[in-house]
Amino acid sequence: MNYSILAACGLILTVFSAQADRFADVQIQETALGSNIYMLSGAGGNMATFVAGDEVLLIDSQYAELAEKIRSKVLQLSAGKPLSRLINTHVHGDHVGSNAALSAGVDIIAHQNVLIRLQQDGAFPTAGLPTTTFIEQLRLRMNGMTVRLDAMPASHTDGDIVVWFEEANIVHMGDLLFEGRFPFIDTSKGGSVKGYINNTRQLINMLNDTTKVIPGHGNLTDKAGVQRSLAMMEATLAIVNEFKAQGMTEQQAVDKGLGEQWKKWHWNFITEERWIKTLYHADVN
């Protein structure tokens, strides 16, 4: 008996079991926003669904392990109508993970760079690849609603889009907003601190006081919530730039920290330390 093979198989089973357990208790929760639009949360990035007569739109698809739970929730909210369109706000796995499982009869829409990056990922199922791509803007008319997809200059990644439900005054910002948290700026996929801050400023000018804002992560918010995020980024960037002006190394900046005011923005993925390091190497002064 080859005990090394048995041990390896046992390790693989343990890994798969742990992965399954991670999502076992996750439930897809909906928040009604009006106009048959719902914010959906579970694990990974926030989703949204729009029931538009006989058509059903989903924004983002979280992890593959949640595909059946997502499908069930969409069917519940749509009174049994199947998904017809799926928009990906960007390339990350917690936003595209269920694409393949949900793809049957579905038009998957994304920025052209999302398709390019997913095609370069040999592990990503071809069934989940975007079928409609664009570079600047795409408008959909769905049961009297204008759904406008705006491509943004490189910021979180190089394939970010923001989705506007124009008549309903609702926007899904994808990971251009981490509500109440330090954001993740993925420079390995074309992200940019300068672009992220500039895009946030631009988007604030496009919101009004009654706009409902769905963040990529965090709670449903509004224009004031986006303004708080911008203020945090500008203030913490200024702090880190001052550290650099004083000649501090990256580690000295981390050791110094950002101060008590910004502690609550720390979270398990983008800790204060990781945010300081991101700002220390930022492409903006």
Side-chain angles (χ1 to χ4, degrees), residues 19-265:
Q19 186 75 351
D21 288 346
R22 175 187 173 195
F23 298 103
D25 296 328
V26 173
Q27 299 299 318
I28 306 301
Q29 305 290 340
E30 80 271 13
T31 301
L33 305 180
S35 302
N36 288 322
I37 300 168
Y38 302 85
M39 171 177 159
L40 304 180
S41 58
N46 290 324
M47 300 174 290
T49 192
F50 173 40
V51 181
D54 291 332
E55 290 191 276
V56 181
L57 169 70
L58 180 68
I59 301 175
D60 286 337
S61 66
Q62 297 200 348
Y63 296 103
E65 292 85 353
L66 294 172
E68 291 312 310
K69 292 182 179 181
I70 295 168
R71 189 195 316 276
S72 177
K73 177 59 68 174
V74 170
L75 287 171
Q76 173 195 330
L77 295 173
S78 69
K81 300 181 185 71
L83 183 65
S84 53
R85 285 173 168 163
L86 169 60
I87 296 171
N88 292 142
T89 60
H90 63 286
V91 72
H92 288 144
D94 62 320
H95 297 259
V96 303
S98 289
N99 277 21
L102 299 174
S103 65
V106 174
D107 184 18
I108 303 176
I109 305 170
H111 191 286
Q112 182 174 315
N113 286 347
V114 172
L115 173 60
I116 292 169
R117 288 193 178 276
L118 290 177
Q119 287 175 324
Q120 293 169 345
D121 180 356
F124 192 81
T126 56
L129 292 173
T131 48
T132 297
T133 62
F134 68 102
I135 297 174
E136 295 182 357
Q137 186 182 86
L138 181 67
R139 288 177 179 266
L140 309 172
R141 283 293 290 175
M142 300 182 67
N143 199 37
M145 180 75 70
T146 304
V147 183
R148 189 180 87 240
L149 287 61
D150 287 344
M152 305 300 294
S155 48
H156 175 64
T157 68
D158 61 6
D160 302 307
I161 65 172
V162 171
V163 183
W164 303 85
F165 297 93
E166 291 188 347
E167 291 81 2
N169 197 21
I170 296 168
V171 59
H172 192 310
M173 286 183 57
D175 279 4
L176 285 174
L177 180 62
F178 287 73
E179 186 272 328
R181 311 175 184 188
F182 295 133
F184 172 42
I185 298 174
D186 190 352
T187 55
S188 73
K189 289 185 170 59
S192 158
V193 172
K194 179 179 181 179
Y196 200 105
I197 291 175
N198 286 344
N199 283 344
T200 303
R201 290 179 182 139
Q202 177 183 343
L203 289 166
I204 286 171
N205 291 332
M206 300 169 70
L207 304 173
N208 61 45
D209 291 340
T210 60
T211 307
K212 295 175 183 177
V213 179
I214 303 171
H217 296 264
N219 297 322
L220 182 72
T221 189
D222 54 13
K223 181 177 182 177
V226 184
Q227 289 171 323
R228 285 191 294 272
S229 182
L230 175 62
M232 177 279 295
M233 290 188 288
E234 290 176 334
T236 54
L237 177 61
I239 291 169
V240 173
N241 279 343
E242 178 59 26
F243 290 162
K244 292 169 67 176
Q246 294 172 12
M248 288 189 189
T249 65
E250 177 186 83
Q251 188 56 51
Q252 287 171 330
V254 168
D255 293 342
K256 183 73 171 177
L258 297 172
E260 192 63 33
Q261 180 180 359
W262 307 112
K263 292 291 185 186
K264 65 182 180 181
W265 294 78

Side-chain angles (χ1 to χ4, degrees), residues 266-277:
H266 165 110
W267 58 300
N268 61 341
F269 184 48
I270 305 300
T271 61
E272 180 183 42
E273 176 179 350
R274 189 169 182 182
W275 181 235
I276 290 171
K277 290 180 176 180

